[in-house]
Amino acid sequence: MSQTDTTPGHQPNHRVMHTMIRVKDMDKSLDFYTRLMGMKLLRRKDYPEGRFSLAFVGYGAEINHAVIELTHNWDQDKPYELGGGYGHIAIAVDDIYATCADLKAKGANIIREAGPMKNDTLHLAFVQDPDGYKIELIDSKTVAG
């Protein structure tokens, strides 16, 4: 087993590739992430032998951007339990207030209105996807550092 180089300034050649979430209805989820959230469908494939489909969505090519993998198990007829360990996916946006107004107008479920975070300069909001996953929207102009 190799040791990780802990030399100051050393950057291992690692990166986050994707986050996978299970979805009950692929079409509803793709509509949410592409039409409402503005992501692109990067690739999609059905696996008939395994009775599931995968779709990858994101704001840029997988080679240099983290993306979201949507997994649809064909025989899942009940909504998934999200579990107590899941938190949220965070997405930076240019204008949190305009973004939320646009999402609301398109029918998205805003579960925390846009505004400042308590005791911080960060402005954020939360929207919920069709399966109940929380997406944190963060105004990029308010991110420190």
Side-chain angles (χ1 to χ4, degrees):
M1 178 184 265
S2 67
Q3 293 275 337
T4 302
D5 185 347
T6 57
T7 306
H10 174 75
Q11 294 292 320
N13 192 20
H14 298 197
R15 68 178 180 84
V16 174
M17 293 179 59
H18 64 259
T19 298
M20 184 278 269
I21 57 176
R22 289 181 175 84
V23 301
K24 185 174 180 298
D25 184 320
M26 182 67 85
D27 292 332
K28 281 184 181 178
S29 294
L30 283 173
D31 179 65
F32 175 83
Y33 286 100
T34 59
R35 185 176 64 86
L36 297 183
M37 299 306 301
M39 294 182 186
K40 291 181 175 65
L41 173 60
L42 303 171
R43 59 188 169 104
R44 180 179 180 170
K45 186 172 181 182
D46 294 329
Y47 295 86
E49 303 78 29
R51 303 198 46 73
F52 70 95
S53 300
L54 300 179
F56 290 79
V57 294
Y59 294 111
E62 292 174 76
I63 191 73
N64 53 12
H65 289 85
V67 302
I68 299 173
E69 173 188 345
L70 305 175
T71 300
H72 174 239
N73 293 299
W74 299 356
D75 300 320
Q76 181 72 23
D77 52 353
K78 294 180 182 170
Y80 287 99
E81 291 184 29
L82 301 184
Y86 175 79
H88 60 266
I89 297 167
I91 297 174
V93 299
D94 289 332
D95 181 335
I96 192 75
Y97 299 96
T99 298
C100 285
D102 184 54
L103 286 169
K104 269 190 201 179
K106 292 176 179 175
N109 183 19
I110 305 290
I111 58 173
R112 195 258 196 209
E113 294 293 330
M117 185 174 138
K118 189 175 182 177
N119 301 320
D120 202 332
T121 59
L122 201 67
H123 285 232
L124 56 88
F126 278 88
V127 62
Q128 200 167 38
D129 85 354
D131 290 282
Y133 293 108
K134 293 176 185 157
I135 312 297
E136 180 181 22
L137 305 173
I138 301 173
D139 193 304
S140 59
K141 293 182 296 297
T142 67
V143 176

